[in-house]
Amino acid sequence: MLRLLRQPRWLGYLALATAFAIACSAFGVWQWNRREEALAAIERLESNYDRQPVPVADALPQPGAFDPDQQWTPVLLEGEYLTEEQLLLRGRWRGGQVGFDVIAPFRTADGTVFVVDRGWIDQAEGAEEPVTAPATPEGPTTVVARLRPNEGDIAGRGAPEGQIASVNLPAIAEGLGAPTYTGAYGLLVSEAGAAPGDVAIAARPVLDEGPHLSYTLQWFVFALGGYAAVAWGLREELRGGAAMPRPERVRRSDADVEDDILDRG
């Protein structure tokens, strides 16, 4: 077997199996990392979702900063909505229907603006507008919302006047012209201690780790499969060589040798 492996043909097969194993292992590590990310997301949800609300200034002392481990943490806001500045976040699905999320900037008591996603509202059939106008409350109120990270910009997606394609907090802040929290925004939980009646607030997400562990194991099994194929090929070639009959060596007599010499003479 070692003699066969030194042959260029089998060295090439072994190199191909090694390259295949490296590629499969890379995919296996990628799936493992995705599982770790999913488990971390589940842990954040379980740890933060049902916490007691804390003042937003305490949760986010730096308006432009946000720790991903703070996702889903409830924060308390006191102040009022800037109803003239609210926007419609287009292309949001709920129960198989497309609609809008109502994005309402909220000016807190210290003058800093925090962006609140108040919830989902249905889209009118055949029109890019809601069925009914959102009834965002005016005047001083108290809001509880759960922290979510800035979505940023979505390349290639636009929106008409008064609408946005994503919660891009720096862009929203630029339009407001006021100090604004740009690291995170909030999904509405309650207004003045109650759920709103004009929109459907976000439900608790259902998270699971997915099939990443099984995919990880499959990729590592595939990585070993290349070497198994080489081993099988070697075994078959060795078997084939062993099955071939060896030619018998015929011992020639002195008379046969003398006859050959006379024939050549």
Side-chain angles (χ1 to χ4, degrees):
M1 182 177 291
L2 291 176
R3 186 173 63 253
L4 281 177
L5 282 175
R6 295 193 192 101
Q7 296 177 5
R9 177 166 59 93
W10 284 102
L11 286 174
Y13 291 155
L14 189 60
L16 185 62
T18 300
F20 179 73
I22 291 172
C24 290
S25 298
F27 281 117
V29 171
W30 174 63
Q31 286 291 345
W32 179 264
N33 290 338
R34 291 194 63 188
R35 177 176 181 266
E36 291 294 305
E37 292 170 1
L39 291 175
I42 294 171
E43 174 63 23
R44 283 194 295 267
L45 178 70
E46 296 297 332
S47 297
N48 298 336
Y49 198 86
D50 295 320
R51 286 186 175 185
Q52 289 297 313
V54 297
V56 66
D58 293 345
L60 301 173
Q62 300 295 325
F66 177 67
D67 186 340
D69 287 338
Q70 292 180 287
Q71 291 187 54
W72 307 113
T73 300
V75 294
L76 180 65
L77 310 168
E78 294 182 345
E80 60 181 351
Y81 284 112
L82 303 177
T83 54
E84 297 299 320
E85 305 294 342
Q86 71 182 2
L87 300 162
L88 294 174
L89 177 59
R90 60 189 286 126
R92 299 290 156 143
W93 291 83
R94 179 73 62 89
Q97 293 182 301
V98 67
F100 303 92
D101 276 9
V102 179
I103 304 300
F106 188 94
R107 183 167 55 209
T108 63
D110 67 3
T112 308
V113 176
F114 183 82
V115 175
V116 177
D117 182 337
R118 294 189 61 243
W120 184 86
I121 193 167
D122 197 7
Q123 179 174 315
E125 186 175 352
E128 293 194 4
E129 61 184 23
V131 173
T132 57
T136 304
E138 299 184 1
T141 188
T142 300
V143 165
V144 175
R146 290 189 174 91
L147 295 178
R148 295 292 291 155
N150 173 40
E151 289 185 358
D153 189 28
I154 300 178
R157 293 185 60 182
E161 184 74 21
Q163 299 182 15
I164 53 177
S166 65
V167 185
N168 185 354
L169 294 174
I172 294 174
E174 185 176 349
L176 294 173
T180 303
Y181 288 89
T182 56
Y185 69 102
L187 295 180
L188 182 66
V189 177
S190 65
E191 294 167 337
D198 60 316
V199 293
I201 62 174
R204 180 177 182 136
V206 178
L207 301 180
D208 62 71
E209 66 178 83
H212 302 301
L213 180 59
S214 62
Y215 288 164
T216 298
L217 297 176
Q218 287 176 16
W219 280 115
F220 285 121
V221 170
F222 293 158
L224 296 174
Y227 292 112
V230 172
W232 179 84
L234 283 169
R235 188 188 66 174
E236 290 301 305
E237 185 157 325
L238 288 171
R239 277 184 173 181
M244 292 178 62
R246 294 184 179 181
E248 294 184 4
R249 297 182 63 182
V250 179
R251 184 167 184 176
R252 305 181 70 196
S253 65
D254 292 341
D256 292 332
V257 174
E258 290 176 359
D259 290 342
D260 288 343
I261 295 172
L262 291 173
D263 290 340
R264 287 198 298 269

